[in-house]
Amino acid sequence: MLIDGKLVESGSRFANISPTTEEIIGYAEEATAEDMDAAIAAARRAFDETDWATDHAFRRRCLTQLGDAIRDDVEELRRIDVAELGVLVTTTGLTIDTMLPRIAQLAELAETYGYEQPLPNDAGILRREAVGVVAAVLTWNCGFYLWIEKVLPALAAGNTVVVRPAPETPWGSTFIARLIAERTDIPAGVVNVVTSSSPARAVQLTEDPRVDMVSFTGSTAVGRQVMAQAAGTVKKLVLELGGKSANIVLDDGDLEAAVAASVGQSCALAGQMCGMLSRLLLPRSRYEEGIALAAAMMRDVEVGDPADPATRQGPQVSAAHRDRILGLIATAREEGARVVVGGGVPDVARGFYVQQTLLADVDPDSTIAQTEVFGPVVCVIPYDDDDEAVRIANNSIYGLSGAVWSADRERALTVARRVRTGVVAVNGAHYFQNAPLGGYRQSGLGRETGLWGFEEYLEVKGIGVAPA
């Protein structure tokens, strides 16, 4: 762990289990309440007593150092992600390599952002300044991405941070913690990384009055708990939560490309993606055609060792998560869904795997259509016209992402504007890092990526100035 500038041990450890082999691949430090208290105190002191928040050029230099260190050792980070998460080695090009340029962008933004601007009518100054101590509570499915779009923006904006990695994937964060301690000039206490398998440490972090803001990525159920924990001290929140995103194929849309988008996302990270296009909405005129295309694509998926470049789908993160997915598939059967492909466990010797699963004839109100599965499961739902497609897409407590496909761009945009989600991709547009990412309704609060994500970590102050 990294606490107050030092790499420390806690006296006890918890196991890091490979989802591919089901074996213990190593251990991480099991933080005590005293460890977390020390980390929070260090972050508070570093914010209150150093010039980290105001020395923009220094922040730029420190973040540049960290970016250089990560690039130098990126292969070790890749190995860790494959080992502890089970991400495909081929997918790390997206989850790691494409993220690296963002570090330099954030480092530059730390120095060049206009923190002060004039108010209208020369009434004074509009000032943006760091919030303070930020609790970054990370989920397990995309740890490095969250460092890039959660931890580093907070640091670039001048905050100090306490990072609590998910217990399923602690090593990625402790690897970066070591780089910070050994290869950057980031002052003691500015970044603290505290690992634990106990939810009590996360609760301690989110409830502590010395913490000014909580940035959390995870399930909606846990997000509600985080909101309740932070409410006692009215902390600022950024919550990136669950999704049940609809992939709407209009009757003139590119059916093959649209189906491939849902199937491809169900392979990536074994479907463990909050923005996965898990509801495939097809016009009745092309319903069976679309099901046949999806079935053929899914049957062609090679499931196996994520370290093998030929593998297209790896394991779920844990046995408990695998069993939860299988339970939801069983419920879908009971509620009338037709299992076209998969529905069980693939023929592999070991590992927490679930077959690529295609469910047809899914009732829009059924459990499987309303619940985030977070696994390699695609639900196919028919509709009669554009209005019904929009109604089905919006029939959810979630509103994270979505997609629309049509040969008529204006028609697609009309539908996209009606879909109540934070982002919508039209005809396969790649919005990653080019649009603010975040959700409507119970998919969260706030936005990540780009300037939008950076500004979430700033307070806004108006300074009125009387005429001379």
Side-chain angles (χ1 to χ4, degrees), residues 199-396:
R201 298 291 75 75
V203 174
Q204 180 184 354
L205 179 59
T206 55
E207 289 184 344
D208 195 294
R210 294 169 293 180
V211 174
D212 301 295
M213 176 177 177
V214 178
S215 184
F216 169 77
T217 296
S219 71
T220 293
V222 178
R224 296 186 194 112
Q225 296 172 16
V226 170
M227 287 187 74
Q229 293 155 13
T233 49
V234 196
K235 302 183 194 303
K236 185 174 182 179
L237 292 173
V238 169
L239 303 176
E240 201 277 284
L241 306 177
K244 193 68 183 180
S245 302
N247 188 10
I248 303 173
V249 189
L250 301 183
D251 53 20
D252 61 346
D254 186 335
L255 184 61
E256 184 171 357
V259 169
S262 280
V263 173
Q265 289 188 11
S266 70
C267 294
L269 293 175
Q272 298 168 145
M273 299 171 57
C274 53
M276 174 184 162
L277 299 172
S278 55
R279 291 185 295 160
L280 180 58
L281 275 54
L282 300 178
R284 291 190 187 277
S285 62
R286 308 189 71 182
Y287 183 61
E288 294 300 334
E289 180 188 0
I291 291 173
L293 276 171
M297 292 178 188
M298 282 191 169
R299 292 188 181 107
D300 193 42
V301 171
E302 184 72 27
V303 179
D305 183 354
D308 184 345
T311 300
R312 289 185 57 206
Q313 182 191 320
Q316 312 310 135
V317 73
S318 67
H321 188 52
R322 174 200 60 197
D323 295 344
R324 175 184 173 276
I325 295 168
L326 293 173
L328 286 167
I329 294 171
T331 298
R333 291 178 190 265
E334 294 168 3
E335 294 182 354
R338 171 164 55 103
V339 179
V340 181
V341 176
V345 176
D347 184 17
V348 293
R350 55 185 179 173
F352 307 131
Y353 290 90
V354 174
Q355 288 177 319
Q356 277 270 303
T357 299
L358 182 66
L359 302 175
D361 307 340
V362 173
D363 185 325
D365 295 318
S366 66
T367 302
I368 199 70
Q370 293 294 321
T371 304
E372 183 180 41
V373 177
F374 224 58
V377 180
V378 175
C379 303
V380 188
I381 302 173
Y383 69 87
D384 290 314
D385 56 29
D386 293 7
D387 288 342
E388 185 180 19
V390 171
R391 283 196 300 271
I392 293 171
N394 290 337
N395 177 26
S396 174

